[in-house]
C-alpha cells in the first residue's frame, strides 16, 4: 500500500510516543513585531442577526473597538451560501458563493454580501486584526437535483453493521449551482463524490445509507471510531478520497484566503473527516510564501482528553485544537458551585498537557441553551472561567460574542461589563511567568510576574458561597516578587466588593483577599484607568 511522508510520520509518532512540535508557536496569532498578548473572538451566536445592518457591516463597525480591547483575530461564521436563505452556513450548499450569486432565493448569505465581507476584512487588516474563516468541509445540503444509485442501510449506532442488502435509492446528491454558472469552479457534484446520506427520496425514509456501486470505497477508515465509524454526520457526506473532490476543496482553500485575506481556518467537525485529507488541506493552504504561519484550529468535540491526544499527534503540529475538556470542567464547576474543587480545574485538559496546542474557550454557539451540545457555563462561574483563560500564560484564548455583546440568546450585562475589564487586563497586565497558589478548594490564586514592557498582576478566583464560608472573605498569601517589596497593590476589577489594598512585605509577599464567588485582579499601578462601554 502506498504511504505518504505524512502517513509515515503519523505511524512513528504513535508507535514511539513522540510528540510533534506545538502548533501555536508556528502560527501567526497577532501582528508582526507586536509584544501584546494575542486573543481571538468568535464574532457570532447561533441566531445572530443585526436589526439595522448586515452582520458583515456590524463586524466592520465594531473593528476599532475590538482592536482597543486587544483582539488580534476574529473567527467569523461560515461565509458560504447555505441550503436556505437564513441558514448559518453550517448547512453548506456552495462554498464558492460567499454572497455573490442569486442562489437559494438570495444573493446575500445570512451574514451579508461578498462585497460587505471583503470590505470588513480589509478594515480588520488595517487594524492589525486577522480574520479566521470557518471551513465547513464535511458535508453538503440543499442539492439541486435528485438521482438514483445503489446504497446499503446501516445501523445508526454502529455504522459498520449493515441492516439490509444493497438496493437502489434516490438521493439529493446533484449540485449544479445554476446561479453561479461555473464561475470560480466548474465542478458539479454527484453521488460519486459522496459516501453516505440520511434520506431515501424513493421510499421517503430516513436512515443512514452507505453509497455503494462503481467507484465507491465505503466509509473512510481515517476518521473517529465513535459509532464504529464516524465518517457520516449529516446531510450528504463528502468523500475526501475522491481526486476531483480533493482538488476542488484544495482550490477553494487557497481561493477563500486570497479573496478575503484571511489569516487562517477554523476546521469544523474534524472527527467525521478523513484526517489525511485535512492534513494535506492545511499544508497546501500554507504553500504560499505569505501563508507559512497560517493559523488553524480544529473542532474535535470530546471532553475526553485521551481521545483528543491521538489527533494532536496525527496532525503533526499543523493545527491547534479547541480545549473541550477545559470547557467541560468549567461547565461542571458552574453546576456544582462551592462543591467543585478549584484545585482540579485544569485536570485532564489539553492546556495542562499540551498548552502549545490548546485554544481555550468558555462557551460557543453550539453550547447555548437549546443547542445540540448544550452545556452553558452559568453566570455564577462565567467570570472565573474567563479569568482562568485570559489572565494565565498557557493556551490561546477565544472569547464568545454572546458573552460580550447584547443579544437575545445569552447576554448578561454584568458578565459583559466585567469581561471587558478582564480583556483590558490581559492586554496591559497579564505577562510573564505564572506562579500558582492553590492551597484552598474554593479560592485559588496566581501571579503573573510581568516583563520589561508590562507590569504583571496578581489574580484571585473564588467559587465559595455564603453557606460554605464562615466569613465572606478568604485570604491567599502570594509572592509578587522581591523587586516589588514594600509596594502597595490595588484591586482593579469593579465588583460588588469595596476597593482593596494589599501591602507587600520586603520579601515580596502579600495577603490577598478573595471575596465570595468573585474574581479580582491586583495591580501595582493605581493610576491605570480604563473606560468600559
Amino acid at each position: 500500500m502506498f504511504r505518504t511522508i505524512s502517513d509515515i510520520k503519523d505511524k512513528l509518532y504513535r508507535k514511539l510516543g513522540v510528540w510533534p512540535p506545538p502548533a501555536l508557536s508556528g502560527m501567526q496569532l497577532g501582528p508582526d513585531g507586536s509584544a501584546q498578548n494575542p486573543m481571538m473572538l468568535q464574532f457570532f451566536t447561533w441566531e445572530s442577526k443585526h436589526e439595522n445592518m448586515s452582520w458583515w457591516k456590524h463586524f466592520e463597525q465594531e473593528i476599532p473597538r475590538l482592536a482597543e480591547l486587544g483582539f488580534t483575530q476574529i473567527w467569523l461564521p461560515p461565509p458560504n451560501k447555505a441550503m436556505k436563505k437564513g441558514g448559518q452556513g453550517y448547512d453548506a450548499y456552495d462554498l464558492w458563493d460567499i454572497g455573490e450569486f442569486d442562489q437559494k432565493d438570495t444573493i446575500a448569505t445570512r451574514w451579508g454580501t461578498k462585497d460587505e465581507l471583503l470590505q470588513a476584512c480589509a478594515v480588520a487588516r488595517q487594524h492589525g486584526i486577522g480574520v479566521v474563516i470557518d471551513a465547513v468541509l464535511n458535508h453538503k445540503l440543499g442539492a439541486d437535483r435528485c438521482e438514483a444509485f445503489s446504497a446499503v442501510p446501516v445501523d445508526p449506532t454502529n455504522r459498520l453493521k449493515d441492516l439490509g442488502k444493497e438496493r437502489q435509492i434516490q438521493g439529493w446528491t446533484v449540485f449544479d449551482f445554476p446561479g453561479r454558472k461555473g464561475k470560480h469552479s466548474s465542478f458539479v457534484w454527484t453521488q460519486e463524490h459522496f459516501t453516505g446520506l440520511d434520506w431515501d427520496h424513493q421510499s421517503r425514509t430516513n436512515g443512514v445509507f452507505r453509497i455503494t456501486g462503481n467507484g465507491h470505497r465505503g466509509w473512510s477508515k481515517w476518521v473517529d471510531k465513535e459509532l464504529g465509524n464516524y465518517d457520516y454526520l449529516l446531510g450528504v457526506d463528502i468523500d475526501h478520497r475522491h481526486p476531483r473532490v480533493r482538488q476542488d476543496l484544495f482550490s477553494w482553500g487557497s481561493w477563500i484566503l486570497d479573496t478575503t485575506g484571511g489569516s487562517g481556518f477554523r476546521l469544523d467537525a474534524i472527527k467525521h473527516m478523513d484526517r489525511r485529507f485535512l492534513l494535506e488541506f492545511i499544508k497546501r493552504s500554507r504553500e504560499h510564501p505569505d501563508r507559512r504561519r497560517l493559523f488553524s484550529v480544529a473542532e474535535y468535540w470530546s471532553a475526553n482528553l485521551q481521545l483528543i491526544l491521538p489527533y494532536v499527534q496525527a496532525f503533526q503540529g499543523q493545527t491547534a485544537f479547541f480545549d473541550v475538556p477545559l470547557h467541560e470542567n468549567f461547565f461542571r464547576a458552574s453546576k456544582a458551585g462551592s462543591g467543585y474543587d478549584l484545585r482540579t480545574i485544569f485536570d485532564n485538559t489539553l492546556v495542562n498537557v499540551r498548552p502549545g496546542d490548546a485554544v481555550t474557550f468558555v462557551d460557543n454557539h453550539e453550547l447555548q441553551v437549546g443547542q445540540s451540545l448544550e452545556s452553558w457555563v452559568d453566570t455564577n462561574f462565567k467570570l472565573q472561567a474567563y479569568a482562568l483563560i485570559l489572565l494565565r500564560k498557557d493556551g490561546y484564548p477565544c472569547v464568545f460574542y454572546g458573552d460580550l455583546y447584547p443579544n437575545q440568546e445569552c447576554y448578561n450585562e454584568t458578565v459583559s461589563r466585567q469581561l471587558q475589564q478582564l480583556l483590558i487586563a490581559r492586554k496591559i497586565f497579564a505577562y510573564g511567568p505564572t506562579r500558582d497558589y492553590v492551597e484552598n478548594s474554593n479560592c485559588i490564586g496566581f501571579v503573573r510576574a510581568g516583563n520589561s514592557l508590562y507590569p504583571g498582576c496578581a489574580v484571585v478566583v473564588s467559587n465559595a458561597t455564603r453557606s460554605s464560608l464562615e466569613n465572606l472573605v478568604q485570604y491567599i498569601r502570594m509572592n509578587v516578587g522581591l523587586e516589588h517589596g514594600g509596594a502597595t497593590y490595588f484591586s482593579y476589577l469593579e465588583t460588588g466588593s469595596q476597593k482593596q489594598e494589599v501591602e507587600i512585605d520586603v520579601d515580596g509577599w502579600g495577603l490577598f483577599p478573595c471575596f465570595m464567588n468573585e474574581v479580582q485582579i491586583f495591580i501595582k499601578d493605581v493610576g491605570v484607568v480604563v473606560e468600559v462601554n
Side-chain angles (χ1 to χ4, degrees):
M1 178 181 176
F2 176 75
R3 292 187 181 275
T4 65
I5 293 176
S6 292
D7 291 335
I8 296 170
K9 281 185 177 180
D10 185 14
K11 188 173 182 179
L12 284 173
Y13 283 146
R14 290 166 178 268
K15 188 172 183 178
L16 301 177
V18 177
W19 285 96
L24 291 170
S25 60
M27 299 178 189
Q28 183 161 0
L29 307 180
D32 283 329
S34 174
Q36 178 186 314
N37 281 325
M39 179 169 55
M40 182 163 58
L41 172 67
Q42 178 187 350
F43 197 82
F44 63 101
T45 63
W46 187 252
E47 297 293 347
S48 288
K49 208 169 181 70
H50 198 282
E51 58 183 11
N52 299 321
M53 64 188 77
S54 77
W55 198 252
W56 298 146
K57 290 297 292 183
H58 171 45
F59 169 48
E60 180 187 344
Q61 290 194 358
E62 292 300 317
I63 287 169
R65 176 59 175 160
L66 296 175
E68 287 180 8
L69 289 172
F71 290 107
T72 56
Q73 282 188 325
I74 304 296
W75 160 21
L76 295 180
N80 52 272
K81 188 62 62 71
M83 70 174 291
K84 58 184 179 181
K85 188 173 183 178
Q88 284 86 350
Y90 293 107
D91 50 341
Y93 166 67
D94 187 1
L95 294 178
W96 294 91
D97 182 359
I98 55 175
E100 182 179 4
F101 305 100
D102 189 355
Q103 300 189 111
K104 299 301 178 184
D105 300 319
T106 179
I107 293 176
T109 68
R110 177 190 182 93
W111 315 110
T113 66
K114 176 183 178 181
D115 289 343
E116 290 171 333
L117 170 61
L118 301 192
Q119 170 64 18
C121 290
V123 173
R125 289 195 301 275
Q126 292 167 9
H127 285 78
I129 293 177
V131 169
V132 177
I133 303 297
D134 203 328
V136 185
L137 308 177
N138 175 71
H139 54 268
K140 299 185 82 65
L141 288 156
D144 299 302
R145 288 188 289 119
C146 199
E147 62 180 330
F149 48 87
S150 59
V152 173
V154 301
D155 186 343
T157 64
N158 180 2
R159 309 298 174 72
L160 300 178
K161 179 182 178 182
D162 294 350
L163 295 181
K165 296 181 179 180
E166 182 181 63
R167 68 173 190 253
Q168 181 165 294
I169 69 170
Q170 289 183 344
W172 290 91
T173 51
V174 182
F175 292 79
D176 297 310
F177 313 116
R180 185 157 53 80
K181 297 181 173 62
K183 187 175 180 180
H184 304 314
S185 170
S186 60
F187 183 43
V188 173
W189 297 70
T190 67
Q191 57 86 20
E192 69 175 293
H193 306 119
F194 301 104
T195 63
L197 69 166
D198 61 357
W199 174 253
D200 174 10
H201 195 65
Q202 180 172 297
S203 63
R204 300 295 200 275
T205 55
N206 286 109
V208 177
F209 300 92
R210 187 183 72 253
I211 302 175
T212 57
N214 187 36
H216 286 284
R217 293 184 283 172
W219 309 124
S220 168
K221 70 175 183 178
W222 300 94
V223 297
D224 195 73
K225 290 181 172 55
E226 188 176 344
L227 303 181
N229 177 291
Y230 219 174
D231 192 350
Y232 184 81
L233 174 63
L234 57 85
V236 284
D237 185 72
I238 294 173
D239 186 351
H240 298 96
R241 298 161 297 183
H242 195 289
R244 293 194 64 194
V245 168
R246 293 165 66 86
Q247 187 55 53
D248 192 66
L249 294 180
F250 292 152
S251 297
W252 175 82
S254 294
W255 173 82
I256 194 68
L257 293 173
D258 289 341
T259 302
T260 62
S263 64
F265 288 115
R266 181 256 186 189
L267 301 171
D268 183 59
I270 70 156
K271 65 163 63 174
H272 310 283
M273 285 188 280
D274 188 303
R275 58 179 175 265
R276 295 182 304 173
F277 159 78
L278 281 173
L279 189 56
E280 189 171 352
F281 177 84
I282 299 168
K283 289 181 176 179
R284 287 196 179 215
S285 297
R286 292 198 176 111
E287 286 180 349
H288 191 283
D290 294 336
R291 297 201 293 258
R292 300 295 188 199
R293 298 173 60 212
L294 185 81
F295 175 72
S296 174
V297 59
E299 182 222 19
Y300 179 97
W301 197 264
S302 174
N304 186 340
L305 178 65
Q306 298 310 312
L307 296 180
I308 299 174
L309 290 177
Y311 266 72
V312 174
Q313 284 186 306
F315 276 87
Q316 303 167 16
Q318 295 293 320
T319 185
F321 289 79
F322 284 110
D323 196 345
V324 180
L326 179 61
H327 159 76
E328 180 69 14
N329 285 358
F330 290 157
F331 172 64
R332 291 179 178 177
S334 75
K335 294 302 180 185
S338 61
Y340 190 92
D341 188 339
L342 290 179
R343 295 171 296 188
T344 68
I345 197 71
F346 291 108
D347 285 1
N348 301 309
T349 63
L350 187 60
V351 74
N352 191 42
V353 175
R354 293 283 297 178
D357 294 307
V359 173
T360 54
F361 68 103
V362 177
D363 275 315
N364 68 28
H365 61 298
E366 294 182 291
L367 310 176
Q368 295 173 219
V369 175
Q371 295 305 319
S372 59
L373 299 173
E374 180 182 330
S375 52
W376 188 249
V377 178
D378 291 337
T379 56
N380 68 311
F381 198 73
K382 183 76 75 171
L383 270 300
Q384 291 92 325
Y386 270 117
L388 291 170
I389 69 169
L390 291 172
L391 303 179
R392 296 175 64 82
K393 181 176 182 292
D394 291 335
Y396 178 42
C398 181
V399 175
F400 182 45
Y401 179 99
D403 290 325
L404 187 60
Y405 280 88
N407 63 86
Q408 299 299 313
E409 300 161 77
C410 51
Y411 180 67
N412 181 281
E413 184 178 358
T414 300
V415 167
S416 174
R417 184 179 66 255
Q418 294 187 354
L419 174 55
Q420 291 177 66
Q421 294 175 337
L422 290 178
L423 298 176
I424 295 298
R426 174 177 174 81
K427 182 179 178 181
I428 60 180
F429 299 125
Y431 295 85
T434 304
R435 293 193 295 269
D436 286 312
Y437 297 86
V438 290
E439 288 80 12
N440 192 293
S441 63
N442 293 128
C443 186
I444 60 175
F446 57 92
V447 171
R448 296 298 302 275
N451 57 32
S452 60
L453 297 176
Y454 299 98
C457 58
V459 182
V460 292
V461 176
S462 169
N463 70 343
T465 60
R466 188 178 297 273
S467 61
S468 65
L469 288 180
E470 293 183 9
N471 301 309
L472 297 182
V473 61
Q474 295 171 285
Y475 290 89
I476 301 179
R477 189 168 181 262
M478 298 192 292
N479 192 299
V480 296
L482 192 62
E483 66 275 21
H484 301 300
T488 301
Y489 272 60
F490 301 86
S491 58
Y492 169 73
L493 292 183
E494 297 176 1
T495 67
S497 304
Q498 63 185 21
K499 289 289 185 179
Q500 300 292 314
E501 297 183 9
V502 176
E503 300 297 329
I504 307 300
D505 69 21
V506 294
D507 295 319
W509 290 94
L511 199 60
F512 292 85
C514 188
F515 281 84
M516 178 182 68
N517 206 44
E518 286 187 2
V519 173
Q520 189 53 266
I521 304 169
F522 291 88
I523 59 172
K524 184 178 177 180
D525 186 3
V526 73
V528 177
V529 177
V530 179
E531 292 185 3
V532 175
N533 294 335

